[in-house]
Amino acid sequence: MHLRPKIALTILPIILLQIIVLLIPSFILYQQYFGDKIKGQINESIMLVQNALDAQLTSVTANSAIFSQSVILNRYLLTEDESIRFNVMHKVLVKEFSSFINAHPEYIEISLIMPDGYEEVSLMRNGAANVTDEEQDTDYFKNIVKSESDVEINTLINPDTGKWTLISARKIYQRNTIEQSATTPKKIKGYLIIKTDFSFIASLLKNNSLLTNGFAIIHDAMGIPVLTTTEKMLQFNHQLKIFNESEFDYKPQLSTWSIDNESYIVGQKKVMDNLFFSIGWSKSELNPLLKNMLYTSIQNSLLLIICSALILFWILNKQLVIPILRLSIAAKKMGSDGIWILESKSNDELNDLAATIKKMGLSLIEQKQKVHDIAYLDSLTQLPNRRQFTDVLAHQYNDTNAERPEIALLFIDLDGFKDVNDKNGHGVGDSLLISVASRLNNVLRAEDKIDHIESISNSLQHHVARLGGDEFTIILKGIKDRNAAEHVARRILNAFSSPFTIAESDFLIGSSIGIAMASECGENAAELLKNADTAMYEAKAMGKNTYRFYNPKTSHKPTIKEKTSQSNLV
């Protein structure tokens, strides 16, 4: 027997059974059906709130991480002189806070709290008044101080507004300004506080179709409402406390409540520490639905079932199975190769699903690239940063097993940059650093930029990076003797012989270059970097704007006092 007759003979008894089930116990089945649908909608409403809250937590965590790296914020914390901080930097940081809070309308306050608990800088939306600057006794400050994590998010009553608020607190670390190296220990210099109201959840509750005669409440462990759609909260407190004191996990729980002689299907879930969500639907809305659906279904069920049975076996394969299989293959291809191979001309839910999966895949690829850029690129010059430089340098050693790599490391420190920066301001200084980075790239081949460690090839490209401040490095590959490294150093000095034009003004700066050959003085990456740094200071000691090779017999590592003295002469 062929497959089609088998399908038809299989569907026929199912049709007869469905007719019997629908005609005899239809009312009970519909009641259970609608009950399950309501429970499903309750669970969906709970998950919508949970997802909105999770998205908000993820967003505020990511934004606080980005903003904590703000150049202005870090300069403010590096400024030891309190009079300069309050009279000069304070206004600049408030302006930075203002631009950040304007870009994120869900944030109601951004503030900077010092390690002693004093709120030194604060900006509230709409110019609201700050009740107190002393935050050391607040719960959220105590939590972030004793936390082992760099960021803590709490739900508390905002002491400034008296309203419930999501409060994100992030630790801000900085290294010693004299010795900025990977081994210098970080210290907590302050805490970045971002406060958010619950308006992003209020809109979800307002548009929820379940709440015509029902209720939705976000509350704490004691049943105290944080956000509610009903004015009958006092009648719910007993049930809320029973739920919170019982054993449960983070999965939604369903139960039945009786309030004012009316029965409710209630869903509850713990959405985060000390925060719960409860939503209830009145069963009184179920009876009219059951009656209408029962009459309609009896009239149409027979015709619909017969028709659906005739075309079921046809549409299952053509409209559902094959498209889902193609979608699965396309999703796997997107995950493995980052390309989308499915082009659907249909206009249905599967096409929408395919578009959503495609959009999600492209978004993940884009986010991965953004995260890579944040982690591995210098935000000012767009050159590779210290972290990526360290990875690439270490890779050169790991790639050669026990042998030393054929590389030379150029450590470049700008001569005269501090004077330009101090006299003309940080804006001109930043523009000058960008121009320096461009000129260094032009000295090398245009394609010589450090890639992420996963994409490093065996090509003999040279790599330029910014370590921080006015310090740059260049890794020269395939260097067997000093001649090639010396040639590049001369090209750099020659490139710096022309003035830099910034804001219609010319600035002439030099560069002191320390060169360390891996074959001569680089047992490992750390030693090579240290020796190149030492050679750079020798170049400065020789009059600056020159280069020096590291010589194990004659070179010595400069002391902190020598470094400071030479830096003051830059």
Side-chain angles (χ1 to χ4, degrees), residues 294-312:
L294 181 59
Y295 294 147
T296 303
S297 62
I298 292 176
Q299 295 174 4
N300 299 315
S301 60
L302 182 61
L303 178 62
L304 291 176
I305 292 175
I306 293 175
C307 293
S308 63
L310 294 176
I311 62 174
L312 181 60

Side-chain angles (χ1 to χ4, degrees), residues 183-441:
T183 59
T184 303
K186 295 181 179 180
K187 293 183 179 180
I188 297 177
K189 300 291 289 186
Y191 303 90
L192 179 64
I193 309 300
I194 300 178
K195 298 179 181 178
T196 309
D197 59 23
F198 283 88
S199 58
F200 62 97
I201 293 181
S203 60
L204 292 177
L205 301 184
K206 182 179 179 181
N207 299 323
N208 196 311
S209 60
L210 289 176
L211 302 181
T212 305
N213 295 316
F215 62 88
I217 307 166
I218 294 178
H219 54 91
D220 67 359
M222 298 303 296
I224 300 175
V226 175
L227 188 66
T228 179
T229 61
T230 180
E231 299 179 357
K232 301 178 181 179
M233 269 304 303
L234 292 178
Q235 302 178 26
F236 302 148
N237 284 346
H238 177 65
Q239 286 91 337
L240 293 175
K241 290 181 180 180
I242 291 176
F243 167 72
N244 296 327
E245 294 169 358
S246 63
E247 294 292 334
F248 64 94
D249 53 19
Y250 278 83
K251 295 181 179 180
Q253 296 188 14
L254 296 175
S255 58
T256 301
W257 291 4
S258 178
I259 303 174
D260 290 341
N261 298 322
E262 187 171 354
S263 182
Y264 289 84
I265 300 176
V266 180
Q268 297 176 295
K269 186 180 187 296
K270 183 176 182 181
V271 292
M272 64 178 293
D273 290 340
N274 197 38
L275 198 65
F276 305 82
F277 177 59
S278 300
I279 181 170
W281 184 81
S282 175
K283 287 186 176 181
S284 62
E285 299 182 28
L286 183 60
N287 293 334
L289 291 174
L290 285 174
K291 291 180 181 178
N292 292 335
M293 289 300 299
L294 181 59
Y295 294 147
T296 303
S297 62
I298 292 176
Q299 295 174 4
N300 299 315
S301 60
L302 182 61
L303 178 62
L304 291 176
I305 292 175
I306 293 175
C307 293
S308 63
L310 294 176
I311 62 174
L312 181 60
F313 70 95
W314 179 74
I315 64 173
L316 281 177
N317 188 62
K318 182 176 181 180
Q319 301 295 328
L320 190 61
V321 177
I322 294 178
I324 289 178
L325 181 59
R326 291 175 179 173
L327 182 58
S328 175
I329 295 173
K332 292 178 181 178
K333 190 69 173 178
M334 170 67 80
S336 60
D337 301 335
I339 59 174
W340 186 254
I341 61 173
L342 180 62
E343 294 297 334
S344 176
K345 297 181 180 180
S346 62
N347 187 21
D348 54 17
E349 289 80 0
L350 287 174
N351 183 59
D352 294 339
L353 179 60
T356 301
I357 294 176
K358 178 182 178 181
K359 183 177 180 181
M360 289 175 60
L362 295 175
S363 177
L364 287 173
I365 294 173
E366 180 181 354
Q367 291 300 319
K368 182 179 179 181
Q369 183 61 42
K370 289 181 179 179
V371 171
H372 168 269
D373 291 346
I374 292 172
Y376 288 95
L377 292 182
D378 176 57
S379 60
L380 178 64
T381 63
Q382 296 304 303
L383 287 177
N385 59 13
R386 176 183 289 272
R387 179 179 180 181
Q388 189 175 169
F389 161 77
T390 304
D391 287 348
V392 172
L393 186 59
H395 180 81
Q396 299 302 312
Y397 280 86
N398 296 336
D399 200 37
T400 57
N401 298 322
E403 298 179 1
R404 294 186 184 184
E406 294 180 348
I407 62 173
L409 177 60
L410 276 62
F411 196 111
I412 305 169
D413 189 270
L414 304 183
D415 299 327
F417 173 77
K418 183 177 183 300
D419 188 49
V420 172
N421 197 52
D422 292 343
K423 290 182 179 180
N424 299 275
H426 296 297
V428 172
D430 290 347
S431 298
L432 182 56
L433 289 174
I434 294 173
S435 297
V436 167
S438 176
R439 196 166 290 188
L440 287 176
N441 272 327

Side-chain angles (χ1 to χ4, degrees), residues 50-62:
Q50 179 72 74
N51 292 338
L53 181 60
D54 290 345
Q56 187 69 12
L57 295 180
T58 301
S59 174
V60 73
T61 300

Side-chain angles (χ1 to χ4, degrees), residues 87-101:
N87 296 327
V88 179
M89 297 298 295
H90 188 276
K91 293 181 180 180
V92 178
L93 185 55
V94 169
K95 185 176 180 181
E96 182 81 348
F97 280 4
S98 178
S99 63
F100 191 70
I101 206 171

Side-chain angles (χ1 to χ4, degrees), residues 440-457:
L440 287 176
N441 272 327
N442 290 335
V443 169
L444 303 176
R445 296 197 304 271
E447 68 272 19
D448 288 347
K449 295 180 180 178
I450 301 179
D451 296 325
H452 184 256
I453 193 70
E454 294 177 352
S455 61
I456 295 176
S457 65

Side-chain angles (χ1 to χ4, degrees), residues 183 389-390 393-394 397 404-405 407-409 411 514-536 550-553 555-557:
T183 59
F389 161 77
T390 304
L393 186 59
Y397 280 86
R404 294 186 184 184
I407 62 173
L409 177 60
F411 196 111
I515 308 174
M517 305 290 295
S519 59
E520 298 178 3
C521 57
E523 288 288 344
N524 51 57
E527 182 182 11
L528 187 67
L529 177 61
K530 179 190 70 174
N531 294 336
D533 183 36
T534 300
M536 181 273 293
Y550 178 81
N551 189 329
K553 297 180 179 180
S555 299
H556 73 283
K557 183 178 181 181

